[in-house]
Amino acid sequence: MDPLDLDLNPRIAAGVRRARLKSVRDLLCASALELQSLTGLSPSDVQQLLATAAAACRAHPPVPAVVLHLGECPRLESGLRLSVGCAVLDELLRGGLPAGGITELSGQSSAGKTQLALQLCLCVQYPTQYGGLDSGAVYICTENCFPIRRLQQLISDQHALRPDVPPSLISTLKFSDRVYVEHAADLDSLQRCLSRRVPLLLARGLVRLLVLDSVAAVFRGEFQAAEWQERTRQMLSVSSTLHRLSWDFATPVLCINQVADVFGDSDNPLGPLSTSVAPALGLTWANQVTVRLMMVRSQATVSRGNQHSALRRLEVVFGPHLARRGAHVAVWKEGVQGVTRTTNR
């Protein structure tokens, strides 16, 4: 973009021409002192020039916080949620996963993270009156093969999980046709997937949920301890892409994360109060997350009919609209559901 195409004061435009600055990139890559020296403009004129150039690069105008609070921003579809398919968990999450921002689900192995992610891949396909978004899901695997058999089992038992939905509607939905699976074993593959294939699916309206399972795998395996700066840079790049996709397409983003042990007696603000582990990737990644959830598996079991499940607890670690509390859950044949009355074994 030619700086002369910007809406500039003639005096400031003349200074830009004198400095022979050819693009907005040239403007924004120079410091304020450098621009003063090159253009001969005053500090206030340089600040006005930088503000105008930055505004021209912004994809969307900034939205005041009060507008978001009042729900007056139609682009962001304020208040839009994706149901989890369970009344207990939807109550915990105040309607489900938000359509803007990154929701992280962390927990130890076998805690039930992937189970809940698969369930959401089916929930998103229901019409909005049943808590869905009437679209599909893209599931990106970074470490394990996609659990297709478990997905097929969940599909066959949807009538048991969702008694609130008419069976005639469930039978018309082609669940397996609307779950798009991608495998990204390294960071380069993940970046290509997020920058090329996923935006195409979103732009065509084929998907409305993005699941990344797991976010820690690509960063833990590619960088040595001494490469922390490059690791941080790449982590911020991935989170920026995820946020942009989420907000541009009003799409919930779910990132499954691993955990790491926490040592010492100090309070752990990154994880729930009931465990000695915290989500992986540290404070850098924690600052990129909009909502942090954690699934904790206990030694107790719960029974229902002829089914038995380890008792879990889904806890809200933080979220701008959520209280820090949790709910007991179990993983049944038909999916993940909240447990209000437990019979421990």
Side-chain angles (χ1 to χ4, degrees), residues 24-37:
V24 171
R25 180 184 179 86
D26 293 339
L27 289 173
L28 297 179
C29 287
S31 68
L33 290 176
E34 289 174 329
L35 289 176
Q36 280 183 244
S37 176

Side-chain angles (χ1 to χ4, degrees), residues 112-251:
K113 308 182 297 295
T114 298
Q115 302 282 339
L116 189 58
L118 293 175
Q119 184 166 310
L120 284 163
C121 289
L122 303 182
C123 290
V124 71
Q125 301 185 39
Y126 286 103
T128 53
Q129 61 263 40
Y130 298 109
L133 299 177
D134 199 17
S135 188
V138 56
Y139 199 108
I140 305 175
C141 302
T142 63
E143 49 184 337
N144 298 319
C145 294
F146 181 74
I148 183 62
R149 291 185 179 179
R150 179 53 175 156
L151 179 68
Q152 291 171 342
Q153 185 180 47
L154 291 175
I155 291 173
S156 63
D157 287 327
Q158 277 297 289
H159 63 283
L161 180 70
R162 300 300 302 268
D164 58 311
V165 181
S168 57
L169 174 59
I170 294 178
S171 63
T172 62
L173 295 175
K174 298 180 179 180
F175 291 104
S176 58
D177 292 347
R178 304 177 81 185
V179 179
Y180 300 83
V181 180
E182 294 280 353
H183 288 88
D186 53 55
L187 187 57
D188 288 340
S189 299
L190 177 60
Q191 292 279 25
R192 286 195 300 269
C193 181
L194 293 176
S195 62
R196 299 177 187 177
R197 293 191 289 276
V198 173
L200 187 61
L201 291 171
L202 289 166
R204 292 179 176 178
L206 297 175
V207 302
R208 199 77 183 277
L209 170 66
L210 169 58
V211 178
L212 177 56
D213 184 6
S214 72
V215 65
V218 292
F219 292 106
R220 278 184 161 178
E222 293 211 9
F223 299 97
Q224 302 298 323
E227 300 175 310
W228 63 270
Q229 287 181 315
E230 177 61 17
R231 177 176 178 265
T232 298
R233 189 183 72 82
Q234 294 291 348
M235 196 181 302
L236 294 177
S237 175
V238 169
S239 68
S240 175
T241 301
L242 292 173
H243 275 291
R244 185 176 67 254
L245 292 173
S246 179
W247 288 110
D248 285 354
F249 296 97
T251 296

